[in-house]
Amino acid sequence: MTEKQPPRTIFIIWAMLVGLCTPFVVFFLPLVISTVLYEQEQNIALFIPAVNFWVTAFGLALLLTGLLLLAWKRNKNMYGVFGSLLVVSLISLYASSLSYTAIQEDQMVLQKFNKTHIYPWEDVEKVEYVYVYGANGTYYFTAINGDKWSLAENGVLDTRAKSRFYSRLRTYEVELIEEEIVAD
């Protein structure tokens, strides 16, 4: 048992560990990082877009690929490829924490990688809520300048958050249109 393991075995074991941990990391990393970095007292709700989860999965897939390449062959070129994959993987994991949408007391913040759009409630013209009875709906926002964006309803808008959100709409006199779509 005290024998030294060959490098191939070590890289395969690391690849297996990364592969086993990937589903948990993909699900929790964007949630935890966004909550830690962007949760503020004035937030009514913080939405994490699906792209964050996909970018995390991409980064971990690159790391897994690099480990499998090193298990297959180890030379200067492969170490260079692994180094490149590791750098791109780390950049992807960092990028997975950059996007979010925050509904706040006085504004909405839409952060998409390197662009931030801040819409004070005074600049929001209307909000349309489209839903099917018994299912989550989607909020479609329209700004006075014509910008449009949407937020799919999920568990983030609980009863308390939804009450605060609707209160903001009434306070700033934002038109709210609710439309139920009849399911076939």
Side-chain angles (χ1 to χ4, degrees):
M1 292 304 285
T2 59
E3 298 174 18
K4 187 176 179 183
Q5 295 295 323
R8 170 174 279 171
T9 305
I10 293 170
F11 288 122
I12 289 174
I13 290 171
W14 275 105
M16 289 171 49
L17 286 172
V18 169
L20 288 172
C21 293
T22 293
F24 301 106
V25 173
V26 166
F27 182 73
F28 288 112
L29 187 69
L31 292 175
V32 170
I33 288 177
S34 296
T35 301
V36 168
L37 293 179
Y38 307 119
E39 188 62 42
Q40 300 174 5
E41 191 173 313
Q42 73 252 23
N43 283 359
I44 295 172
L46 182 68
F47 290 85
I48 313 304
V51 69
N52 288 12
F53 300 97
W54 287 107
V55 172
T56 302
F58 175 73
L60 291 173
L62 289 177
L63 179 61
L64 181 64
T65 302
L67 289 169
L68 290 174
L69 285 173
L70 285 179
W72 174 57
K73 187 186 248 185
R74 285 163 312 283
N75 59 30
K76 286 183 182 180
N77 292 338
M78 279 301 167
Y79 283 113
V81 169
F82 175 74
S84 299
L85 289 174
L86 181 63
V87 168
V88 174
S89 174
L90 293 173
I91 290 170
S92 296
L93 292 174
Y94 168 71
S96 73
S97 68
L98 296 178
S99 297
Y100 69 93
T101 299
I103 298 175
Q104 298 179 342
E105 293 289 336
D106 56 348
Q107 64 190 5
M108 287 193 65
V109 179
L110 280 68
Q111 174 74 37
K112 294 189 178 180
F113 295 113
N114 62 348
K115 292 182 183 177
T116 302
H117 297 284
I118 297 175
Y119 296 97
W121 283 112
E122 295 90 1
D123 293 347
V124 178
E125 181 180 350
K126 67 178 177 176
V127 177
E128 297 177 60
Y129 178 58
V130 180
Y131 65 98
V132 174
Y133 181 76
N136 289 336
T138 303
Y139 290 95
Y140 296 96
F141 296 84
T142 305
I144 292 173
N145 65 2
D147 289 351
K148 295 182 180 194
W149 66 96
S150 65
L151 284 176
E153 186 177 34
N154 55 21
V156 173
L157 273 178
D158 58 5
T159 307
R160 182 173 167 268
K162 193 178 276 192
S163 173
R164 289 176 62 197
F165 172 59
Y166 279 46
S167 172
R168 294 289 93 194
L169 296 177
R170 284 189 302 276
T171 300
Y172 289 99
E173 298 176 355
V174 177
E175 180 184 6
L176 175 64
I177 303 168
E178 293 187 1
E179 180 183 343
E180 180 180 353
I181 297 175
V182 179
D184 294 331

